[in-house]
Amino acid sequence: HIEHIKAVNSATIEVCRAAGVPVLHLEPLVPKDFRHFYDDMHYNVQGARVVADAVAGFLVESGVLDRIVQARTSKPAATRGRD
């Protein structure tokens, strides 16, 4: 089960990188213990906090957040909020 998940994660990361899509690999960022997971796969509250912090940092540092804001603010006013 865990090996299958690791293989899927690896393939996803490889495809994203090959396509030039920003990707954040969370597995090495969250300790594998019951302080962060409530079973072998699902985050608990503390694990979710670690993930949220990592995602927020990634969005800012990678420039993804800037591109989203720019795309939303460069649309004509009549089309904003329709996506």
Side-chain angles (χ1 to χ4, degrees):
H1 176 73
I2 296 297
E3 291 308 314
H4 175 71
I5 292 169
K6 286 183 178 192
V8 170
N9 287 347
S10 244
T12 301
I13 290 165
E14 186 177 319
V15 167
C16 288
R17 288 187 177 149
V21 175
V23 62
L24 172 63
H25 188 191
L26 291 169
E27 182 191 5
L29 304 178
V30 185
K32 278 80 171 160
D33 58 35
F34 285 110
R35 291 181 325 124
H36 296 88
F37 288 84
Y38 71 84
D39 61 17
D40 65 343
M41 184 176 181
H42 299 96
Y43 304 117
N44 61 21
V45 172
Q46 183 60 31
R49 284 186 183 122
V50 172
V51 169
D53 287 344
V55 170
F58 175 77
L59 290 174
V60 171
E61 292 168 14
S62 68
V64 171
L65 187 60
D66 289 336
R67 290 194 297 273
I68 292 169
V69 170
Q70 182 179 20
R72 289 183 174 270
T73 57
S74 65
K75 291 181 182 179
T79 63
R80 285 190 202 139
R82 291 189 186 172
D83 48 351

